[in-house]
Every structure is written in structure tokens, then in C-alpha cells.
Amino acid sequence: MSIPPIPSRAEHLAAWRESGGKLCAAFPAQYPKELLWAHGILPVEVWDPPLAATRAPGHLQPYICSVVRQGLELLLAGAGDEMDIILFPHTCDSMQNLASLVGDYLKPKATSLFFYNPKAPFGQPAREFYLDRLFALDRELAGLFGPRPEGALEQALAWSRTLSGLYAKAYDLRAAGGLAVGAAEFYAVLRAGEYLHPTAFIPLLDAWLAQAVGQPSAGERIVLSGVLPGPEDLLESLDALGLVVAHDDLLSMSRRLLYPPPGEGEPLAALTESFLEMPPCSTRGSSLAERLAWLKSLAKLSKARGVVFSVVKFCEPELFDLPELRRGLKEARLPSLLIEVDVNQAAGGQASTRLEAFREMMA
Ligand code: SF4
């Protein structure tokens, strides 16, 4: 199956800018993109810019993850000057430190905004806090760019509902063995949503799904867990070795994409309920028991026989949970493999050899 033509990031941003739209560099991980759409702003996510890390390491401790390092590298290269705003969600301590570094010292032309996500448990105080943060961000955006047009937020939520349905369909089909595509293609298409506006991404995803239905290649089914679906050579190795990614528990993917569609009530309250019901995640403060139960349920649903953890080096939230998760999976007779990766570096032949050995062990 060939991947449909996906507009490049540069092309899409240039076209958006030309049409008078505003741009936001959105750092990982969870943020209310619907609010940005409603204000006519295109969020462009910054996860793993493909740049040589030359300047950023001089400003960061050596044990900072490559997501933060590459994000800073991008800003030091001047990318912030092409944006209208830079949004830093409160994902982890490293991201929080980056937000302070950029806001206090780097001072790019774009306005830096901070978005504080509440952490679990998600009871009434978290609900009220999140709703309050949504109103605050809405006010900040209105202060910068004027009030959002009437009906724009309702339209943004309608896009969000459609996307929620398409993501769920893609994941359900894959888990049920009904998608004839490998991991490299699956993630190349879904990751286009990190920068395409929903008016461009919804038809693309819809058309791709219609073509992608079919029998997957034979192989050992696994769940992929971690931060990002990459590096690229890791996905190619999985496909080539017959390790079929049947589901994932990736921070940039299912933990954000499998959100319940926002309801029809007051839009910001509906977004709050949707946020509170997202899958468990190390960066949301979910309990280990919840995360373990979630991983086991993904494996059961997708008939996966093992879990591959592809964890970004020095990612404190992920690495902190890992020993207990692996212990619990072992007790449930689900073998696991840990591969540590840097987002802008190939995983390499050694990772491929370890994946091959893992497949043999599961067979
Ligand atoms: S990779 Fe981990 S440590 Fe780095 S920004 Fe993401 S959650 Fe934070």
C-alpha cells in the first residue's frame, strides 16, 4: 500500500500563513488544540525536529531528554520567530524547565504561553482547575488576537469529534487485524496530524483508512509503548522482522489520540470531560496499577504476545514507571523488551538484533 500524498510541514505552514492564519509551536504533549483552531491558529507540534544538536546541548544538562534538546535546538535556530505563539504544556519537569529557559532567557519574538494540565487523580478539583485553565488560555488568546469568531469553537469541537472517530477506527481496525499496513506507514499517516489543519487532515485520514483495510502481514503481534513511534529505522525493523504493532501505548499517539469525543454541551466543559477521560499516562500522574491494567487490556484486545518499550533516554516519567510495569507484565506472562532511543538518532543494528531475538523468544 502506498502512502497518500501528505503535504510537507513547510508547505502546509507556508500555505496557512499565506491565507492569513496564525501559527503556534506546540510543545509536547497534551494541550487543547480545539481552542487554538477556534482562534484561527494552527498548532504545529514540536516532538523531534530533524536537526543536528549543535547549540542546545551547551544550554542543557547532559541528562535532559532529546525531545527537550531538539525543541530547544529548533528555537535556537530561529523557528520561534516564524511563529505567533509558543505553547508549553506542563508535561514534565524537563518541559517545564525548557519553558522557563525560553520565556526568561531566549525571549523569541513569539509570545510564550504556558498551559498547566492537572495531574491525577481526576476528581472535582482537577475538573475545576482544567476548566479554569481553558478559560484562562481562551482569554490570553483573545487578548493577543482578538475574540474568536462566533461559532468557531463549536466548529473546532465538531472537527475534534470527527478526528476522535477516525483515530478510534484506525486503532480498532489495526487491533482486530484489519489493516494491511505496517507500523512505518501507520505512524507516517497519523503523525501528519501533528501539523495539518483538520480541514486537510480529516479527508486525508478518511481516504487512507478506506484504502488501508485488509489483511496485515503475518508475524508476532506486539504492543509498542513509550513516547514516540520511532526512530524511523526502528519502525522499519519491526516491519521487516515480522513484529506486527497491533496496538500502542505511546505518549504522542494513543495516549492522546484515543480521547472520548467531546460532548455537545458547553464547549469548554465538554473539552474538560474529554481530557479527564483520556488513557492513563506517566505524564498525567496515572497510577501504576491503572497503567498496568491498561497495557494488559491493549495486549488482550489486540492479541499481542509481548510489549516493546521504546523509551526516550532520560525520560524521567516513563523510566520511573518502567520497572513496575515490566514486573507486572511478566506476572501476566507478557514478555517485554526495553529499547532506549534518542529522537533524532537511528536506533541502529543493535536494536534490530534485540528485536529479532525478542521475536524468537515469543515464537
Ligand atoms: S520525553 Fe519524557 S522527559 Fe522528555 S519531554 Fe517528553 S515526557 Fe518529558
Side-chain angles (χ1 to χ4, degrees):
M1 168 122 345
S2 60
I3 304 182
I6 301 174
S8 74
R9 210 172 254 252
E11 278 166 7
H12 192 65
L13 267 62
W16 182 259
R17 184 56 104 191
E18 210 155 289
S19 70
K22 296 173 279 286
L23 292 169
C24 165
F27 277 75
Q30 283 130 351
Y31 61 95
K33 48 172 74 171
E34 295 86 351
L35 255 185
L36 298 174
W37 296 334
H39 281 270
I41 303 165
L42 177 68
V44 183
E45 298 185 0
V46 183
W47 287 90
D48 50 355
L51 299 170
T54 52
R55 297 173 65 189
H59 297 272
L60 297 167
Q61 302 92 326
Y63 47 81
I64 292 295
C65 75
S66 49
V67 170
V68 165
R69 191 188 63 215
Q70 289 306 103
L72 180 59
E73 192 70 46
L74 186 75
L75 294 178
L76 289 169
D81 296 343
E82 293 163 27
M83 299 284 140
D84 295 284
I85 53 172
I86 305 175
L87 181 65
F88 294 98
H90 184 19
T91 299
C92 60
D93 289 349
S94 302
M95 193 52 67
Q96 188 70 12
N97 288 340
L98 176 66
S100 307
L101 260 182
V102 173
D104 296 344
Y105 299 109
L106 195 59
K107 299 187 192 298
K109 281 188 203 149
T111 307
S112 294
L113 297 179
F114 309 98
F115 186 72
Y116 293 92
N117 295 316
K119 306 295 178 189
F122 294 122
Q124 191 56 20
R127 175 175 283 107
E128 287 168 15
F129 179 78
Y130 191 75
L131 188 57
D132 179 69
R133 292 299 81 210
L134 288 181
F135 275 109
L137 181 61
D138 197 22
R139 280 194 303 273
E140 281 181 300
L141 295 174
L144 286 168
F145 307 115
R148 55 181 151 80
E150 200 167 324
L153 188 53
E154 288 74 10
Q155 172 63 75
L157 262 74
W159 288 326
S160 181
R161 279 181 213 111
T162 305
L163 280 172
S164 164
L166 289 170
Y167 291 137
K169 186 174 171 188
Y171 271 86
D172 287 350
L173 275 169
R174 185 174 69 162
L179 272 194
V181 301
E185 177 170 333
F186 184 87
Y187 292 114
V189 175
L190 265 69
R191 289 200 66 187
E194 291 171 14
Y195 62 90
L196 288 181
H197 190 266
T199 49
F201 188 48
I202 288 170
L204 185 144
L205 197 49
D206 208 14
W208 171 73
L209 269 172
Q211 294 174 36
V213 172
Q215 279 285 110
S217 319
E220 294 295 339
R221 294 169 72 77
I222 57 152
V223 173
L224 184 62
S225 180
V227 175
L228 281 157
E232 219 170 292
D233 72 319
L234 184 81
L235 298 179
E236 286 163 3
S237 290
L238 288 167
D239 288 343
L241 291 168
L243 281 164
V244 178
V245 180
H247 218 307
D248 74 58
D249 164 53
L250 295 165
L251 169 59
S252 72
M253 304 303 298
S254 74
R255 291 189 217 163
R256 304 189 310 151
L257 305 185
L258 297 185
Y259 59 92
E264 299 282 349
E266 197 285 315
L268 296 187
L271 285 180
T272 301
E273 294 310 317
S274 183
F275 170 81
L276 297 179
E277 293 301 321
M278 286 166 101
C281 179
S282 59
T283 70
R284 282 158 61 85
S286 306
S287 72
L288 280 164
E290 220 186 332
R291 287 205 62 205
L292 181 59
W294 178 253
L295 268 172
K296 288 198 282 190
S297 74
L298 296 183
K300 188 171 176 196
L301 176 79
S302 61
K303 298 190 171 56
R305 298 180 55 194
V307 178
V308 172
F309 290 96
S310 165
V311 176
V312 172
K313 282 177 199 158
F314 305 119
C315 174
E316 201 179 332
E318 287 293 287
L319 289 168
F320 189 80
D321 283 5
L322 208 56
E324 277 303 293
L325 291 180
R326 295 190 74 188
R327 191 189 57 73
L329 290 172
K330 193 174 174 188
E331 279 174 13
R333 296 179 184 278
L334 280 167
S336 65
L337 175 71
L338 169 62
I339 293 179
E340 287 194 82
V341 295
D342 263 329
V343 294
N344 61 334
Q345 277 174 22
Q350 202 188 14
S352 179
T353 307
R354 294 183 62 217
L355 285 168
E356 194 171 6
F358 186 62
R359 187 200 61 197
E360 296 306 318
M361 195 259 293
M362 280 192 298

